Amino acid sequence: MATQLLPPFTEETARAKVQFAEDAWNSRDPERVALAYSEDSEWRNRDQFFKGRAAIKAFLREKWSVEDHYKLKKELWAFTGNRISVAFFYEWKQVETGQWFRSHGNEQWEFDTDGLMRRRESSVNDIAIKEEERRL
């Protein structure tokens, strides 16, 4: 499905691409998530830089090994041609301490002609929250 949503994006296909990404990430399945990215996809996630599906899968496995009860919401912010920008937040409970967090961020995505994401730039900030403050 993800690769059927090809650039140049319309509002409808951009929104569908964002929903597809949200659904995949909420599955917490690194294999499923990685299929939306090109084999040589380049990522910046916070202060980490890496390239390729194998690195993406490794990153996601590590991420979700410490972020329990992960739940994500993405919102289309802007789109043009082969690029989409999203705002997002997600909530999670740190496995080691039991502390809840809400992480807010923005992502810029760039897609190849097959509809696979070839570049992902993500900026994220975390805030500690009480369990009763959760929104998701």
Side-chain angles (χ1 to χ4, degrees):
M1 175 65 180
T3 58
Q4 294 173 3
L5 300 169
L6 304 174
F9 296 111
T10 64
E11 183 175 353
E12 179 183 9
T13 59
R15 287 190 187 286
K17 200 71 145 171
V18 171
Q19 187 62 58
F20 181 87
E22 180 182 307
D23 294 344
W25 279 70
N26 279 327
S27 77
R28 296 183 61 191
D29 179 352
E31 297 292 329
R32 177 179 172 188
V33 173
L35 291 175
Y37 300 91
S38 65
E39 288 288 343
D40 60 349
S41 185
E42 295 183 29
W43 277 37
R44 179 183 65 79
N45 194 83
R46 300 176 190 246
D47 61 349
Q48 296 178 300
F49 296 81
F50 48 93
K51 186 175 182 175
R53 279 191 186 158
I56 292 167
K57 291 176 196 178
F59 167 81
L60 294 172
R61 280 191 291 274
E62 174 62 25
K63 172 184 179 61
W64 290 323
S65 75
V66 298
E67 295 181 0
D68 201 15
H69 300 287
Y70 176 94
K71 183 71 175 167
L72 167 72
K73 181 65 182 151
K74 290 185 182 281
E75 176 187 4
L76 176 65
W77 192 257
F79 68 94
T80 184
N82 69 335
R83 293 181 173 176
I84 295 175
S85 178
V86 299
F88 66 87
F89 76 94
Y90 60 94
E91 294 174 340
W92 53 282
K93 186 167 118 176
Q94 190 175 54
V95 169
E96 191 173 303
T97 66
Q99 172 65 55
W100 280 94
F101 289 90
R102 183 175 303 117
S103 301
H104 295 266
N106 298 291
E107 293 176 336
Q108 288 75 34
W109 302 341
E110 183 178 78
F111 295 88
D112 65 18
T113 56
D114 294 324
L116 296 172
M117 196 181 305
R118 68 177 168 209
R119 185 170 156 205
R120 175 184 176 266
E121 301 261 342
S122 182
S123 297
V124 187
N125 299 299
D126 304 316
I127 58 169
I129 60 172
K130 297 177 182 171
E131 185 171 7
E132 59 270 16
E133 295 175 315
R134 293 174 55 209
R135 297 180 188 162
L136 297 175

